[in-house]
PDB file of all heavy atoms in Angstrom:
ATOM      1  N   ALA U 478      -1.842 -26.271 -13.053  1.00  0.00           N
ATOM      2  CA  ALA U 478      -2.134 -24.843 -13.259  1.00  0.00           C
ATOM      3  C   ALA U 478      -2.191 -24.100 -11.931  1.00  0.00           C
ATOM      4  O   ALA U 478      -1.677 -22.978 -11.812  1.00  0.00           O
ATOM      5  CB  ALA U 478      -3.457 -24.694 -14.005  1.00  0.00           C
ATOM      6  N   LEU U 479      -2.816 -24.720 -10.935  1.00  0.00           N
ATOM      7  CA  LEU U 479      -2.909 -24.086  -9.623  1.00  0.00           C
ATOM      8  C   LEU U 479      -1.520 -23.902  -9.005  1.00  0.00           C
ATOM      9  O   LEU U 479      -1.199 -22.834  -8.458  1.00  0.00           O
ATOM     10  CB  LEU U 479      -3.788 -24.922  -8.700  1.00  0.00           C
ATOM     11  CG  LEU U 479      -4.048 -24.323  -7.302  1.00  0.00           C
ATOM     12  CD1 LEU U 479      -4.890 -23.074  -7.422  1.00  0.00           C
ATOM     13  CD2 LEU U 479      -4.721 -25.344  -6.393  1.00  0.00           C
ATOM     14  N   LEU U 480      -0.697 -24.932  -9.103  1.00  0.00           N
ATOM     15  CA  LEU U 480       0.661 -24.837  -8.567  1.00  0.00           C
ATOM     16  C   LEU U 480       1.485 -23.800  -9.337  1.00  0.00           C
ATOM     17  O   LEU U 480       2.308 -23.088  -8.751  1.00  0.00           O
ATOM     18  CB  LEU U 480       1.350 -26.202  -8.618  1.00  0.00           C
ATOM     19  CG  LEU U 480       0.759 -27.272  -7.687  1.00  0.00           C
ATOM     20  CD1 LEU U 480       1.463 -28.614  -7.910  1.00  0.00           C
ATOM     21  CD2 LEU U 480       0.901 -26.843  -6.225  1.00  0.00           C
ATOM     22  N   ALA U 481       1.251 -23.704 -10.631  1.00  0.00           N
ATOM     23  CA  ALA U 481       1.959 -22.691 -11.429  1.00  0.00           C
ATOM     24  C   ALA U 481       1.563 -21.287 -10.980  1.00  0.00           C
ATOM     25  O   ALA U 481       2.397 -20.377 -10.940  1.00  0.00           O
ATOM     26  CB  ALA U 481       1.647 -22.882 -12.914  1.00  0.00           C
ATOM     27  N   HIS U 482       0.288 -21.116 -10.644  1.00  0.00           N
ATOM     28  CA  HIS U 482      -0.180 -19.818 -10.140  1.00  0.00           C
ATOM     29  C   HIS U 482       0.526 -19.468  -8.830  1.00  0.00           C
ATOM     30  O   HIS U 482       1.010 -18.342  -8.656  1.00  0.00           O
ATOM     31  CB  HIS U 482      -1.690 -19.880  -9.931  1.00  0.00           C
ATOM     32  CG  HIS U 482      -2.273 -18.646  -9.321  1.00  0.00           C
ATOM     33  ND1 HIS U 482      -2.896 -17.665 -10.064  1.00  0.00           N
ATOM     34  CD2 HIS U 482      -2.344 -18.222  -8.017  1.00  0.00           C
ATOM     35  CE1 HIS U 482      -3.303 -16.697  -9.266  1.00  0.00           C
ATOM     36  NE2 HIS U 482      -2.982 -17.015  -8.019  1.00  0.00           N
ATOM     37  N   GLU U 483       0.593 -20.423  -7.916  1.00  0.00           N
ATOM     38  CA  GLU U 483       1.233 -20.154  -6.624  1.00  0.00           C
ATOM     39  C   GLU U 483       2.735 -19.946  -6.786  1.00  0.00           C
ATOM     40  O   GLU U 483       3.334 -19.115  -6.100  1.00  0.00           O
ATOM     41  CB  GLU U 483       0.945 -21.295  -5.649  1.00  0.00           C
ATOM     42  CG  GLU U 483      -0.525 -21.584  -5.406  1.00  0.00           C
ATOM     43  CD  GLU U 483      -1.288 -20.382  -4.861  1.00  0.00           C
ATOM     44  OE1 GLU U 483      -0.655 -19.418  -4.397  1.00  0.00           O
ATOM     45  OE2 GLU U 483      -2.533 -20.393  -4.913  1.00  0.00           O
ATOM     46  N   ARG U 484       3.358 -20.698  -7.680  1.00  0.00           N
ATOM     47  CA  ARG U 484       4.799 -20.493  -7.929  1.00  0.00           C
ATOM     48  C   ARG U 484       5.059 -19.100  -8.488  1.00  0.00           C
ATOM     49  O   ARG U 484       6.078 -18.476  -8.186  1.00  0.00           O
ATOM     50  CB  ARG U 484       5.316 -21.549  -8.903  1.00  0.00           C
ATOM     51  CG  ARG U 484       5.433 -22.951  -8.319  1.00  0.00           C
ATOM     52  CD  ARG U 484       6.262 -23.837  -9.240  1.00  0.00           C
ATOM     53  NE  ARG U 484       6.220 -25.235  -8.794  1.00  0.00           N
ATOM     54  CZ  ARG U 484       5.443 -26.166  -9.304  1.00  0.00           C
ATOM     55  NH1 ARG U 484       4.610 -25.855 -10.302  1.00  0.00           N
ATOM     56  NH2 ARG U 484       5.454 -27.401  -8.835  1.00  0.00           N
ATOM     57  N   ALA U 485       4.141 -18.618  -9.307  1.00  0.00           N
ATOM     58  CA  ALA U 485       4.292 -17.270  -9.868  1.00  0.00           C
ATOM     59  C   ALA U 485       4.276 -16.225  -8.754  1.00  0.00           C
ATOM     60  O   ALA U 485       5.047 -15.257  -8.780  1.00  0.00           O
ATOM     61  CB  ALA U 485       3.181 -16.998 -10.878  1.00  0.00           C
ATOM     62  N   HIS U 486       3.391 -16.403  -7.776  1.00  0.00           N
ATOM     63  CA  HIS U 486       3.366 -15.471  -6.644  1.00  0.00           C
ATOM     64  C   HIS U 486       4.736 -15.411  -5.958  1.00  0.00           C
ATOM     65  O   HIS U 486       5.229 -14.332  -5.617  1.00  0.00           O
ATOM     66  CB  HIS U 486       2.312 -15.906  -5.622  1.00  0.00           C
ATOM     67  CG  HIS U 486       0.921 -15.476  -5.966  1.00  0.00           C
ATOM     68  ND1 HIS U 486       0.622 -14.216  -6.420  1.00  0.00           N
ATOM     69  CD2 HIS U 486      -0.267 -16.160  -5.890  1.00  0.00           C
ATOM     70  CE1 HIS U 486      -0.692 -14.125  -6.614  1.00  0.00           C
ATOM     71  NE2 HIS U 486      -1.244 -15.286  -6.311  1.00  0.00           N
ATOM     72  N   LEU U 487       5.328 -16.572  -5.752  1.00  0.00           N
ATOM     73  CA  LEU U 487       6.619 -16.618  -5.062  1.00  0.00           C
ATOM     74  C   LEU U 487       7.739 -16.077  -5.942  1.00  0.00           C
ATOM     75  O   LEU U 487       8.575 -15.289  -5.489  1.00  0.00           O
ATOM     76  CB  LEU U 487       6.932 -18.058  -4.640  1.00  0.00           C
ATOM     77  CG  LEU U 487       5.988 -18.681  -3.600  1.00  0.00           C
ATOM     78  CD1 LEU U 487       6.336 -20.151  -3.379  1.00  0.00           C
ATOM     79  CD2 LEU U 487       6.064 -17.912  -2.286  1.00  0.00           C
ATOM     80  N   ARG U 488       7.755 -16.498  -7.203  1.00  0.00           N
ATOM     81  CA  ARG U 488       8.838 -16.092  -8.108  1.00  0.00           C
ATOM     82  C   ARG U 488       8.834 -14.588  -8.356  1.00  0.00           C
ATOM     83  O   ARG U 488       9.907 -13.959  -8.447  1.00  0.00           O
ATOM     84  CB  ARG U 488       8.684 -16.839  -9.438  1.00  0.00           C
ATOM     85  CG  ARG U 488       9.803 -16.551 -10.423  1.00  0.00           C
ATOM     86  CD  ARG U 488       9.662 -17.362 -11.696  1.00  0.00           C
ATOM     87  NE  ARG U 488       8.551 -16.919 -12.519  1.00  0.00           N
ATOM     88  CZ  ARG U 488       7.414 -17.585 -12.676  1.00  0.00           C
ATOM     89  NH1 ARG U 488       7.222 -18.747 -12.057  1.00  0.00           N
ATOM     90  NH2 ARG U 488       6.444 -17.110 -13.456  1.00  0.00           N
ATOM     91  N   LEU U 489       7.662 -13.997  -8.441  1.00  0.00           N
ATOM     92  CA  LEU U 489       7.536 -12.575  -8.756  1.00  0.00           C
ATOM     93  C   LEU U 489       7.483 -11.693  -7.505  1.00  0.00           C
ATOM     94  O   LEU U 489       7.268 -10.488  -7.624  1.00  0.00           O
ATOM     95  CB  LEU U 489       6.272 -12.345  -9.591  1.00  0.00           C
ATOM     96  CG  LEU U 489       6.260 -13.081 -10.945  1.00  0.00           C
ATOM     97  CD1 LEU U 489       4.900 -12.965 -11.610  1.00  0.00           C
ATOM     98  CD2 LEU U 489       7.349 -12.539 -11.859  1.00  0.00           C
ATOM     99  N   ARG U 490       7.700 -12.296  -6.331  1.00  0.00           N
ATOM    100  CA  ARG U 490       7.762 -11.564  -5.064  1.00  0.00           C
ATOM    101  C   ARG U 490       6.479 -10.765  -4.795  1.00  0.00           C
ATOM    102  O   ARG U 490       6.520  -9.621  -4.341  1.00  0.00           O
ATOM    103  CB  ARG U 490       8.963 -10.610  -5.053  1.00  0.00           C
ATOM    104  CG  ARG U 490      10.301 -11.281  -5.295  1.00  0.00           C
ATOM    105  CD  ARG U 490      10.709 -12.142  -4.114  1.00  0.00           C
ATOM    106  NE  ARG U 490      12.095 -12.587  -4.235  1.00  0.00           N
ATOM    107  CZ  ARG U 490      12.506 -13.700  -4.822  1.00  0.00           C
ATOM    108  NH1 ARG U 490      11.592 -14.494  -5.392  1.00  0.00           N
ATOM    109  NH2 ARG U 490      13.774 -14.041  -4.857  1.00  0.00           N
ATOM    110  N   HIS U 491       5.349 -11.385  -5.055  1.00  0.00           N
ATOM    111  CA  HIS U 491       4.086 -10.678  -4.874  1.00  0.00           C
ATOM    112  C   HIS U 491       3.782 -10.369  -3.408  1.00  0.00           C
ATOM    113  O   HIS U 491       2.998  -9.462  -3.116  1.00  0.00           O
ATOM    114  CB  HIS U 491       2.949 -11.496  -5.484  1.00  0.00           C
ATOM    115  CG  HIS U 491       2.919 -11.429  -6.971  1.00  0.00           C
ATOM    116  ND1 HIS U 491       2.053 -12.172  -7.749  1.00  0.00           N
ATOM    117  CD2 HIS U 491       3.658 -10.695  -7.841  1.00  0.00           C
ATOM    118  CE1 HIS U 491       2.271 -11.910  -9.030  1.00  0.00           C
ATOM    119  NE2 HIS U 491       3.239 -11.020  -9.104  1.00  0.00           N
TER     120      HIS U 491
END
Side-chain angles (χ1 to χ4, degrees):
L479 184 67
L480 293 176
H482 176 99
E483 303 301 345
R484 288 194 188 99
H486 278 316
L487 295 174
R488 183 177 71 252
L489 299 172
R490 303 290 191 270
H491 284 174

